[in-house]
Amino acid sequence: MNMTHWKESTIYEIYPRSFADSNGDGIGDLPGILSKADYLKDLGIDTIWLTPIYASPDIDHGYDISDYYTIQSEYGTMEDFELLLQEMHQRGIRVLMDLVLNHTSDEHPWFEQSRSSKDNPYRDYYIWRPAKEDGSPPNNWTSYLGKPAWTLDEQTGEYYLHLYNAKQPDLNWDYPPLRKDMYKMMRFWLDKGIDGFRIDAVNSISKDQRFPDTHQEKLQASGEPFTKNGPHIHEYLQEMHKEVFSHYDIVTAGETSKVVEQNVLLYTHPARKELNMVLSPEASTLADRTEDEFQTQEWTLDDLRSILTMWQKDIGEDGGWFGIYFSNHDQRRMVNIFGDPVNYRIQSAKMLSTLLLTLRGTPFIHQGEELGMVHNPLLHHIEDFKEQQALAYYDVMVRERGENEEKIMERIRQKSRDHARTPMQWDDSHAAGFTTGKPWLPVHPDYKEINVAAEQQNPHSVLNYYKKMIALRKENKVLTYGDFKIVLENHSQIIGYIRWMDDEAWLVLLNFSGEEAGYELPDNEADRMRQASFIIGNYSDSQHVHPNIHIPSGTLRPYEAVVYKSEGLMDDGVSQ
Ligand code: GLC
Ligand code: CA
C-alpha cells in the first residue's frame, strides 16, 4: 500500500467561533487559535481543519460565504491568518481550510448579479427555474432545513435552488465559467501555502438537471436521490484535480453522505485522481431517523459493527481511503451517542478514543472531544438556540404544523448542533478561559471539572489518554495501514477486531455497555494472540486486571477498552 503523510495524520477540527477568544468579544478568533498552538502541538495531532473563516453574514456560521478571498472580520485579518499558518508550520502542523463549493451566501456579489436579470452574465452561476404552471415551485424537494428547496425571486419571477437556507443559493457547477472561478479561488489559498481542504458537501455539486419531483417521504433533503453523486460529479472532481489539486502536495477530504460502498473507490482510488479521502456520517447519524433527523431511533451494536466493517473494507489494498470520525460540529458529542455521559463519561470517552485511533483510515478529532466533553442539554428555549437547523425545525413543526411545543423542544435539546459547539473549556476561570467577555454560546457548567488545565494535571484524564493513543498510532504504522478483521461477530456488548501487518497483530476489545461483558476468542485468534502483550487500557488498573494470559477469554468491565499486541507469529497472516 502507498504510504503517505495524509494517511498517517491525526486531524483536529477547530470550530473557530468556539475555540479561543483573544479580544473579549465572546467570539473565538484567529489570534485565539494561535495562542493555543503549543497545546495542539503537545496533543500530538499533526493537522488542523478550520471550519469556514471567510467573510460571511453568518446565518450558517461561515458556511454561507459572501467573499472567498477575505477573512471574516470577527476572526481577524489576512495577516492574522498568515501568521497562524506560519506558526503552525513551524510546529510541524498542517492547516486545512474548509472549502464550501455547493453554495454561497445570497450576499455574495455573484448572486446579487445573478438575481438582477435573466440576461446578466452571472445568471447561470446559480440554478434558476420557472414556476410550474400553477405557480408552485419547480419541484417538491425539501432542503436540509425541512423547508421548500426553492425560493421565488420577485425581480425576475423565477425560483432558485437552495439545498440549505434560502440565504445559501446553490451554485451551478454545470456552468464552466463558475468552475473556472472556483478553481482560481482554490489556487489562491493553496498558493498562500495552506495544506489542503476539507470539502463541504462535495458530492452534492452535480444535480440531476431534469429536477424531477421526489417520492421520498422525509422531512429533510427529500430531493437527495437527485442531488447526491449526480451525473457529472466525477467529471468535475477530475477536472478540479487536474486544474488544482495535482499541482500541490496536499490533503483533500470530501464530506460525503450517501456514498454507498462502491462509490468510495470512485471518489478516492488514486488512479481516478479525485479526492484523497471521504468523510462519511453513517456512524455518527446511527441514532437519527431517516424520515426526520431530529427524531431518535434505536440502534444495535451489530449496526455499528457493519458500518465499521463496510468502511474498513473499502480502504486498503483496493486503494480507497477514509477519514474516520464519530463527532464533529454537526453531530451530538460522541459520548452521548455511543457511551454513557452520566455514569461512565470518562471510561466511555476513552473507550471511543481507542476505537477512533485504532481503525484504518485518517482519524478526525472534534475540539473538546479529547476532554471527554458531553452534550448535556444546556439550552432550553428556542430563543437560546443559534444554529439554523434547530430554528427551522421549530418553525416547521411548531409554527407551521402546530405540533406540541414541548415535544419538539425536547427533540431539539437532544439533537441540536449547538450543543457540540459550546465554547472549548480551557480552565476553571470565568467562561472556562474561553473569553474574558460574554461567550456567544453559554459555556457548559461542567467546565469546572472538564477542562484542559485540570486534565493536564491528572494522569488518568481523558486528555492524557488521547495523547497516549495519538502517540501510539503515530509510532505503530500497523494502526494506520494494517489489515482489519472483526472478531467476536454478533457479540451484543463488545466490538473486537484485529489489525495486522507483517509479523505484528493487534487485538482491540471494546465494551460498549455499562455491564460487565464476557468474551471468548475463537481458537485460531486465541492461538495467534497467546503470547501477546498488553499495550493500553482505559482503566488505570487494566493491565493488572487483564494480564496477557487472560486474552483467550475474559471479562471486560463497563465501557472497558483493552489493546494487545502480538509479534512474530504472523508469517501467514491472520487466518480468515
Ligand atoms: C456541511 C457542514 C454544515 C453546514 C452544511 C452547509 O454539512 O458541515 O455545518 O451547515 O454543510 O454548508
Ligand atoms: Ca474575538
Side-chain angles (χ1 to χ4, degrees), residues 292-434:
D292 174 5
E293 311 176 342
F294 276 87
Q295 293 188 52
T296 302
Q297 67 178 15
E298 295 291 315
W299 60 276
T300 66
L301 213 50
D302 276 338
D303 299 330
L304 180 60
R305 201 181 279 115
S306 351
I307 290 170
L308 299 179
T309 310
M310 176 182 88
W311 284 356
Q312 299 290 309
K313 188 176 113 344
D314 280 332
I315 56 186
E317 271 84 74
D318 289 343
W321 198 253
F322 241 96
I324 308 273
Y325 75 94
F326 298 102
S327 314
N328 70 11
H329 65 285
D330 290 330
Q331 308 299 341
R332 287 185 297 158
R333 293 263 175 202
M334 69 181 183
V335 176
N336 293 71
I337 308 177
F338 305 105
D340 179 341
V342 179
N343 303 302
Y344 296 103
R345 180 185 68 83
I346 293 176
Q347 293 87 338
S348 55
K350 291 179 182 175
M351 184 277 284
L352 290 165
S353 97
T354 317
L355 171 69
L356 177 73
L357 292 155
T358 57
L359 288 173
R360 186 159 56 177
T362 300
F364 281 66
I365 296 171
H366 174 42
Q367 69 182 44
E369 180 185 315
E370 77 276 24
L371 306 178
M373 277 178 72
V374 290
H375 170 137
N376 287 337
L378 161 68
L379 307 172
H380 293 284
H381 307 292
I382 194 64
E383 298 74 36
D384 304 334
F385 287 84
K386 307 271 193 227
E387 62 103 349
Q388 59 163 346
Q389 278 176 349
L391 303 177
Y393 190 67
Y394 183 90
D395 241 21
V396 172
M397 302 308 267
V398 180
R399 298 207 179 98
E400 287 171 22
R401 301 194 183 172
E403 296 251 11
N404 176 280
E405 183 185 13
E406 189 39 38
K407 181 179 86 185
I408 299 304
M409 281 315 300
E410 196 41 42
R411 290 181 193 163
I412 292 178
R413 285 177 206 124
Q414 292 304 325
K415 285 286 171 75
S416 165
R417 303 184 295 175
D418 279 336
H419 286 123
R421 300 173 178 185
T422 60
M424 181 70 179
Q425 297 168 188
W426 295 104
D427 57 38
D428 65 4
S429 70
H430 167 80
F434 163 71

Side-chain angles (χ1 to χ4, degrees), residues 21 23 25 27 29:
D21 173 23
N23 61 353
D25 66 356
I27 296 173
D29 46 48

Side-chain angles (χ1 to χ4, degrees), residues 264-276:
V264 174
L265 294 178
L266 293 180
Y267 282 98
T268 65
H269 194 289
R272 292 181 52 83
K273 299 191 175 2
E274 296 189 16
L275 300 171
N276 293 155

Side-chain angles (χ1 to χ4, degrees), residues 488-560:
L488 308 176
E489 296 273 1
N490 309 322
H491 199 294
S492 65
Q493 294 163 280
I494 298 179
I495 288 199
Y497 47 91
I498 294 191
R499 303 290 319 277
W500 78 95
M501 191 169 77
D502 303 330
D503 68 344
E504 260 182 50
W506 290 54
L507 172 68
V508 180
L509 298 172
L510 310 167
N511 183 1
F512 273 76
S513 77
E515 318 286 321
E516 289 199 336
Y519 65 89
E520 192 157 348
L521 292 180
D523 285 350
N524 54 345
E525 315 302 357
D527 203 39
R528 304 273 169 200
M529 300 309 295
R530 72 181 180 272
Q531 289 183 19
S533 42
F534 177 92
I535 298 290
I536 196 168
N538 66 342
Y539 277 57
S540 49
D541 62 354
S542 285
Q543 176 158 24
H544 176 71
V545 174
H546 303 279
N548 310 345
I549 200 151
H550 283 247
I551 297 171
S553 66
T555 303
L556 297 180
R557 289 168 285 179
Y559 293 101
E560 190 161 28

Side-chain angles (χ1 to χ4, degrees), residues 23-41:
N23 61 353
D25 66 356
I27 296 173
D29 46 48
L30 298 179
I33 299 173
L34 180 57
S35 72
K36 303 298 180 186
D38 290 333
Y39 169 75
L40 296 167
K41 171 84 188 149

Side-chain angles (χ1 to χ4, degrees), residues 450-466:
I450 307 176
N451 67 63
V452 170
E455 296 200 25
Q456 277 170 336
Q457 302 299 312
N458 174 1
H460 302 301
S461 64
V462 177
L463 177 60
N464 277 313
Y465 191 83
Y466 263 83

